[in-house]
Amino acid sequence: MFSTGQWYFALFFVIVFIATMIYVYRKDLKELKSQYRGIYWILFGFLLFIGLLFFIKFYLKD
């Protein structure tokens, strides 16, 4: 299956990858807050649209 070295490499890679993602996210957090104001309205509209499609689907079902 996998050798011990491959398991160590995979574990090391996952740990470093997650740590890097956390570091980059925290670094960009202030900028993200200013750029994505009002994003919840977009999410609300999208979910409302999906709900409307399901309502129409079940309402028009024979």
Side-chain angles (χ1 to χ4, degrees), residues 5-37:
Q6 289 173 324
W7 280 112
Y8 286 141
F9 174 77
L11 180 65
F12 176 74
F13 180 83
V14 167
I15 290 171
V16 170
F17 182 79
I18 291 173
T20 305
M21 289 296 107
I22 290 171
Y23 172 74
V24 170
Y25 176 74
R26 288 183 186 230
K27 184 178 167 188
D28 290 339
L29 189 58
K30 291 178 183 177
E31 187 176 326
L32 290 173
K33 285 183 181 180
S34 68
Q35 288 182 349
Y36 291 105
R37 286 184 313 230

Side-chain angles (χ1 to χ4, degrees), residues 32-61:
L32 290 173
K33 285 183 181 180
S34 68
Q35 288 182 349
Y36 291 105
R37 286 184 313 230
I39 195 72
Y40 292 112
W41 287 109
I42 303 296
L43 178 63
F44 176 72
F46 178 73
L47 293 176
L48 185 66
F49 177 70
I50 297 297
L52 181 65
L53 289 177
F54 275 110
F55 176 75
I56 291 171
K57 176 183 175 182
F58 291 117
Y59 182 71
L60 295 177
K61 191 175 184 180

